[in-house]
C-alpha cells in the first residue's frame, strides 16, 4: 500500500494578498466588496483570509494603513520637503493629479472612494478621522507660514485647509469619472490661483 506523501505546503505571500485586497477595496469601496470578492482577488480561501487577516473590518483597517504608506504618503512628503506651504500644496495637488489617474491601480483615493455609501459606522468613522487628520495637517502647515510672514495675517487657515481638502476630494471623484491627469492638473492650477497673495 502506497503511503500518501505530503507535498510541501504552498507558501503564502501575505504582502501580495494584502496588495490584492487593497486593489479590490479601492476599486469597489468597503461596503460592496464581499468576502467572496476578496478571496477571489487574493487567491485564498475564506478560512485562510480569516486566519491571516481576521474579519473584513480588520483586513480593511490593515489595507488603509498599507495604502497610506504605499500610495498616500506623497502629500505629507510634499508639505514636509517644500520650503513654503504654497510650494508644498502646489506639489501636493500636482502629484494628486498624477496619482489619482495612474493606470497601474484604481483611480482616485481609496480613503475617499471607500467611504462612499459606507453603512458600517466604525469604518466610516475611521476614514473620516483620517481625512480630518489630513485637514489638520494642512492647517498646521498653513499656520507655520503665517507665523513666518510667508502668508498674510488675515489668512483663514481653517478655511484654506478645508478648501484644499475639498479640491482633493473633488479630484478623486473626477478621476473616478474618467478625468485625465491633464484635466486634473488644470484643476490644481486653478485652485492654486486662489492661494492668498
Amino acid at each position: 500500500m502506497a503511503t500518501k506523501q505530503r507535498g510541501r505546503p504552498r507558501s503564502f505571500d501575505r504582502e501580495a494578498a494584502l496588495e490584492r485586497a487593497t486593489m479590490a477595496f479601492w476599486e469597489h469601496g468597503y461596503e460592496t466588496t464581499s468576502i467572496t470578492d476578496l478571496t477571489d482577488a487574493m487567491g485564498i480561501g475564506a478560512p485562510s483570509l480569516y486566519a491571516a487577516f481576521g474579519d473584513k473590518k480588520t483586513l480593511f483597517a490593515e489595507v488603509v494603513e498599507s495604502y497610506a504608506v504605499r500610495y498616500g504618503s506623497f502629500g505629507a512628503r510634499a508639505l514636509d520637503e517644500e520650503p513654503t506651504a504654497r510650494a508644498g500644496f502646489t506639489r501636493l495637488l500636482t502629484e494628486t493629479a498624477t496619482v489619482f489617474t495612474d493606470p497601474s491601480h484604481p483611480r482616485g483615493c481609496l480613503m475617499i472612494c471607500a467611504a462612499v455609501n459606507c453603512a458600517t459606522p466604525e469604518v466610516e468613522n475611521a476614514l473620516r478621522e483620517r481625512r480630518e487628520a489630513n485637514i489638520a495637517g494642512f492647517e498646521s502647515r498653513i499656520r507655520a507660514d503665517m507665523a513666518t510672514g510667508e502668508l498674510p495675517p488675515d489668512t483663514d487657515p481653517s478655511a484654506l485647509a478645508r478648501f484644499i481638502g475639498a479640491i482633493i476630494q473633488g479630484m478623486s471623484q473626477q478621476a473616478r469619472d474618467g478625468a485625465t491627469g491633464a484635466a486634473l492638473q488644470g484643476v490644481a492650477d486653478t485652485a492654486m490661483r486662489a492661494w492668498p497673495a
Side-chain angles (χ1 to χ4, degrees):
M1 176 178 178
T3 57
K4 191 173 179 182
Q5 264 194 335
R6 286 191 155 157
R8 193 170 138 212
R10 276 175 55 183
S11 63
F12 172 64
D13 186 339
R14 193 175 193 287
E15 286 305 308
L18 183 63
E19 178 67 5
R20 290 191 289 270
T22 299
M23 295 299 125
F25 281 125
W26 195 348
E27 181 67 34
H28 304 292
Y30 176 79
E31 211 64 49
T32 58
T33 304
S34 68
I35 292 295
T36 301
D37 294 332
L38 290 166
T39 56
D40 289 349
M42 297 165 80
I44 59 175
S48 296
L49 184 151
Y50 291 120
F53 298 102
D55 63 10
K56 179 179 166 181
K57 274 192 287 194
T58 306
L59 170 59
F60 184 70
E62 190 169 343
V63 159
V64 168
E65 290 294 331
S66 174
Y67 171 89
V69 172
R70 182 155 184 199
Y71 298 100
S73 59
F74 67 90
R77 278 195 309 276
L79 297 181
D80 288 345
E81 294 172 2
E82 295 300 327
T84 65
R86 181 186 185 97
F89 285 110
T90 298
R91 176 176 155 189
L92 183 155
L93 292 178
T94 292
E95 292 182 13
T96 295
T98 301
V99 171
F100 284 6
T101 57
D102 185 335
S104 70
H105 55 65
R107 290 174 152 256
C109 171
L110 178 140
M111 291 188 214
I112 296 168
C113 300
V116 175
N117 299 324
C118 185
T120 306
E122 302 90 342
V123 172
E124 186 178 22
N125 291 336
L127 291 171
R128 182 183 305 109
E129 285 171 10
R130 280 190 170 269
R131 291 191 305 272
E132 288 297 320
N134 286 339
I135 300 292
F138 296 169
E139 184 174 340
S140 176
R141 185 65 182 91
I142 292 162
R143 286 186 185 280
D145 270 23
M146 290 175 69
T148 64
E150 187 68 37
L151 279 168
D154 62 347
T155 301
D156 183 337
S158 177
L160 188 53
R162 289 207 170 273
F163 171 72
I164 296 292
I167 295 298
I168 291 168
Q169 289 177 341
M171 289 172 77
S172 177
Q173 186 56 55
Q174 296 239 340
R176 297 286 283 195
D177 289 345
T180 64
L184 293 186
Q185 183 61 56
V187 171
D189 295 343
T190 302
M192 290 310 298
R193 283 198 282 275
W195 193 259

